[in-house]
Short mmCIF file of all heavy atoms in Angstrom, two decimals:
data_model
loop_
_atom_site.label_atom_id
_atom_site.label_comp_id
_atom_site.label_asym_id
_atom_site.label_seq_id
_atom_site.Cartn_x
_atom_site.Cartn_y
_atom_site.Cartn_z
N SER A 367 -14.47 9.58 71.56
CA SER A 367 -15.66 8.77 71.37
C SER A 367 -16.06 8.16 72.73
O SER A 367 -15.26 7.47 73.37
CB SER A 367 -15.36 7.65 70.37
OG SER A 367 -16.40 6.73 70.37
N ILE A 368 -17.29 8.49 73.15
CA ILE A 368 -17.80 7.97 74.43
C ILE A 368 -19.01 7.10 74.09
O ILE A 368 -20.02 7.61 73.60
CB ILE A 368 -18.20 9.11 75.39
CG1 ILE A 368 -17.00 10.06 75.62
CG2 ILE A 368 -18.73 8.55 76.70
CD1 ILE A 368 -17.30 11.27 76.49
N GLU A 369 -18.89 5.83 74.33
CA GLU A 369 -19.95 4.86 73.97
C GLU A 369 -20.48 5.13 72.56
O GLU A 369 -21.67 5.30 72.33
CB GLU A 369 -21.07 4.90 75.02
CG GLU A 369 -20.57 4.33 76.34
CD GLU A 369 -21.55 4.49 77.48
OE1 GLU A 369 -22.38 5.41 77.43
OE2 GLU A 369 -21.47 3.67 78.42
N ALA A 370 -19.52 5.21 71.64
CA ALA A 370 -19.79 5.34 70.20
C ALA A 370 -20.41 6.69 69.79
O ALA A 370 -20.85 6.84 68.66
CB ALA A 370 -20.65 4.19 69.69
N GLU A 371 -20.40 7.67 70.73
CA GLU A 371 -20.82 9.03 70.33
C GLU A 371 -19.58 9.91 70.31
O GLU A 371 -18.78 9.87 71.25
CB GLU A 371 -21.78 9.63 71.37
CG GLU A 371 -23.18 9.12 71.30
CD GLU A 371 -23.98 9.65 72.51
OE1 GLU A 371 -23.60 10.67 73.11
OE2 GLU A 371 -24.96 8.99 72.84
N ASP A 372 -19.46 10.74 69.29
CA ASP A 372 -18.28 11.62 69.17
C ASP A 372 -18.49 12.96 69.87
O ASP A 372 -19.55 13.58 69.72
CB ASP A 372 -17.98 11.89 67.69
CG ASP A 372 -17.20 10.75 67.07
OD1 ASP A 372 -16.69 9.90 67.83
OD2 ASP A 372 -17.09 10.71 65.84
N TYR A 373 -17.47 13.40 70.59
CA TYR A 373 -17.46 14.73 71.20
C TYR A 373 -16.15 15.41 70.82
O TYR A 373 -15.16 14.73 70.54
CB TYR A 373 -17.61 14.63 72.73
CG TYR A 373 -18.96 14.08 73.10
CD1 TYR A 373 -19.14 12.70 73.23
CD2 TYR A 373 -20.06 14.91 73.26
CE1 TYR A 373 -20.38 12.18 73.52
CE2 TYR A 373 -21.31 14.39 73.55
CZ TYR A 373 -21.47 13.03 73.67
OH TYR A 373 -22.70 12.52 73.95
N PHE A 374 -16.18 16.75 70.85
CA PHE A 374 -15.03 17.50 70.34
C PHE A 374 -14.52 18.50 71.38
O PHE A 374 -15.03 19.61 71.49
CB PHE A 374 -15.43 18.21 69.03
CG PHE A 374 -15.88 17.22 67.99
CD1 PHE A 374 -17.23 16.89 67.86
CD2 PHE A 374 -14.96 16.56 67.18
CE1 PHE A 374 -17.65 15.94 66.93
CE2 PHE A 374 -15.37 15.61 66.26
CZ PHE A 374 -16.72 15.30 66.13
N PRO A 375 -13.50 18.09 72.14
CA PRO A 375 -12.93 19.00 73.14
C PRO A 375 -12.34 20.26 72.48
O PRO A 375 -12.06 20.27 71.28
CB PRO A 375 -11.83 18.18 73.81
CG PRO A 375 -12.17 16.76 73.51
CD PRO A 375 -12.86 16.76 72.19
N TYR A 376 -12.12 21.28 73.30
CA TYR A 376 -11.64 22.58 72.83
C TYR A 376 -10.15 22.52 72.55
O TYR A 376 -9.35 22.16 73.44
CB TYR A 376 -11.94 23.62 73.92
CG TYR A 376 -11.70 25.03 73.52
CD1 TYR A 376 -12.60 25.72 72.73
CD2 TYR A 376 -10.54 25.70 73.95
CE1 TYR A 376 -12.39 27.05 72.38
CE2 TYR A 376 -10.32 27.02 73.59
CZ TYR A 376 -11.24 27.69 72.80
OH TYR A 376 -11.02 28.99 72.45
N ILE A 377 -9.75 22.88 71.32
CA ILE A 377 -8.30 22.85 71.01
C ILE A 377 -7.83 24.16 70.35
O ILE A 377 -6.83 24.17 69.65
CB ILE A 377 -7.92 21.66 70.09
CG1 ILE A 377 -8.78 21.64 68.82
CG2 ILE A 377 -8.00 20.33 70.81
CD1 ILE A 377 -8.15 20.80 67.72
N GLU A 378 -8.59 25.25 70.57
CA GLU A 378 -8.16 26.53 69.95
C GLU A 378 -6.88 27.03 70.62
O GLU A 378 -6.51 26.60 71.72
CB GLU A 378 -9.27 27.59 70.09
CG GLU A 378 -10.57 27.25 69.35
CD GLU A 378 -10.38 27.02 67.85
OE1 GLU A 378 -9.59 27.78 67.24
OE2 GLU A 378 -10.99 26.08 67.31
N LYS A 379 -6.25 27.98 69.92
CA LYS A 379 -4.91 28.48 70.34
C LYS A 379 -4.86 29.02 71.78
O LYS A 379 -3.82 28.96 72.43
CB LYS A 379 -4.45 29.58 69.39
CG LYS A 379 -3.92 29.05 68.07
CD LYS A 379 -2.96 30.06 67.43
CE LYS A 379 -2.34 29.54 66.16
NZ LYS A 379 -3.33 29.41 65.06
N ASP A 380 -6.01 29.59 72.24
CA ASP A 380 -5.98 30.19 73.57
C ASP A 380 -6.26 29.16 74.69
O ASP A 380 -6.45 29.54 75.85
CB ASP A 380 -6.98 31.35 73.65
CG ASP A 380 -8.43 30.86 73.46
OD1 ASP A 380 -8.62 29.73 72.98
OD2 ASP A 380 -9.36 31.63 73.79
N ALA A 381 -6.28 27.89 74.36
CA ALA A 381 -6.56 26.86 75.37
C ALA A 381 -5.47 26.88 76.45
O ALA A 381 -4.30 27.17 76.16
CB ALA A 381 -6.63 25.49 74.72
N ILE A 382 -5.88 26.55 77.66
CA ILE A 382 -4.95 26.55 78.80
C ILE A 382 -3.81 25.54 78.59
O ILE A 382 -2.67 25.78 78.98
CB ILE A 382 -5.73 26.29 80.11
CG1 ILE A 382 -6.55 27.53 80.45
CG2 ILE A 382 -4.82 25.89 81.26
CD1 ILE A 382 -7.46 27.41 81.64
N MET A 383 -4.12 24.43 77.93
CA MET A 383 -3.07 23.40 77.75
C MET A 383 -1.87 23.96 76.98
O MET A 383 -0.73 23.57 77.24
CB MET A 383 -3.63 22.16 77.05
CG MET A 383 -4.12 22.38 75.65
SD MET A 383 -4.81 20.86 74.99
CE MET A 383 -6.07 21.53 73.92
N PHE A 384 -2.12 24.89 76.03
CA PHE A 384 -1.00 25.43 75.26
C PHE A 384 -0.15 26.38 76.10
O PHE A 384 1.06 26.47 75.92
CB PHE A 384 -1.51 26.10 73.98
CG PHE A 384 -2.18 25.13 73.05
CD1 PHE A 384 -3.47 25.33 72.60
CD2 PHE A 384 -1.53 23.97 72.63
CE1 PHE A 384 -4.11 24.42 71.76
CE2 PHE A 384 -2.15 23.05 71.79
CZ PHE A 384 -3.43 23.27 71.36
N GLN A 385 -0.83 27.08 77.00
CA GLN A 385 -0.11 27.95 77.93
C GLN A 385 0.83 27.11 78.81
O GLN A 385 1.99 27.45 79.02
CB GLN A 385 -1.17 28.60 78.82
CG GLN A 385 -0.85 29.92 79.40
CD GLN A 385 -2.03 30.37 80.28
OE1 GLN A 385 -3.20 30.19 79.91
NE2 GLN A 385 -1.72 30.93 81.41
N LEU A 386 0.31 25.96 79.27
CA LEU A 386 1.11 25.07 80.11
C LEU A 386 2.30 24.50 79.32
O LEU A 386 3.42 24.43 79.81
CB LEU A 386 0.23 23.93 80.64
CG LEU A 386 -0.90 24.35 81.58
CD1 LEU A 386 -1.92 23.24 81.73
CD2 LEU A 386 -0.32 24.74 82.95
N LYS A 387 2.02 24.12 78.09
CA LYS A 387 3.06 23.53 77.25
C LYS A 387 4.17 24.54 76.98
O LYS A 387 5.36 24.22 77.10
CB LYS A 387 2.44 23.06 75.93
CG LYS A 387 3.42 22.36 75.03
CD LYS A 387 2.76 21.87 73.77
CE LYS A 387 3.79 21.10 72.95
NZ LYS A 387 3.35 20.83 71.62
#
Side-chain angles (χ1 to χ4, degrees):
S367 169
I368 304 177
E369 291 172 335
E371 283 172 22
D372 278 347
Y373 294 90
F374 301 93
Y376 188 79
I377 54 161
E378 296 302 320
K379 282 204 176 68
D380 63 345
I382 288 176
M383 64 183 148
F384 296 125
Q385 207 181 319
L386 295 164
K387 183 178 184 192

